[in-house]
Amino acid sequence: MTTRPVKLWKVIVFAILTALMLFLTFTFSGMTGDAFRTWQLNRMEVQERLYESVAMFYAYLQMLIFAVLLLAVCARGLLRAVRPPLRPGRLSLWLDRRGLWLALILAALFALFFVLDRAVLQRIYSTPETSEVPATLGDRRLSCRLQIGAELAAFGAVVSFVPGLRGAIRRRREK
């Protein structure tokens, strides 16, 4: 049984990154809450204010999701720096066995969400707004949700690409 010595610089870097991501997560959480309250206040206002409130809420929600994902990655790096694993985890082994398929599937899902978002945006731009009733509110919310789905798919593709690449290289060396 071999153990690696803890590298102090690695612990310090991941501790600083984790603290920064924790701060950003709480900041984006507060901003998301404020944007949601603004959306609720403006839901009976004119279309421009309502659309701006919806867009800001989903933009802050997207930043919050990204900050939470980066916080999880930094916290995992900090735990790995402090206590290196004795053997690879189940998720790493699963990703190694699957190769790059999961990354390719998630990249295709990202492309699908991106194209669907562009189609919804085109429908929004071609819809005439003639009254005080917001005609494209549902489409705008759908567009924002598709953007969040595309963000999650892209992040998953990047995260699953590294272990998949390692597994592919390892299998190639064994042959």
Side-chain angles (χ1 to χ4, degrees), residues 65-130:
I65 290 170
F66 191 65
V68 166
L69 292 173
L70 287 180
L71 175 64
V73 168
C74 290
R76 180 181 178 272
L78 180 63
L79 289 176
R80 282 275 178 109
V82 172
R83 187 185 61 87
L86 300 176
R87 56 187 167 84
R90 282 187 242 159
L91 182 62
S92 295
L93 291 175
W94 187 82
L95 287 172
D96 283 350
R97 276 187 242 118
R98 299 305 183 270
L100 299 174
W101 287 109
L102 185 62
L104 292 175
I105 290 169
L106 288 171
L109 195 61
F110 165 75
L112 175 70
F113 284 151
F114 189 77
V115 168
L116 288 175
D117 180 46
R118 296 300 126 196
V120 170
L121 285 176
Q122 186 59 39
R123 190 167 66 185
I124 288 171
Y125 297 144
S126 65
T127 303
E129 296 278 355
T130 58

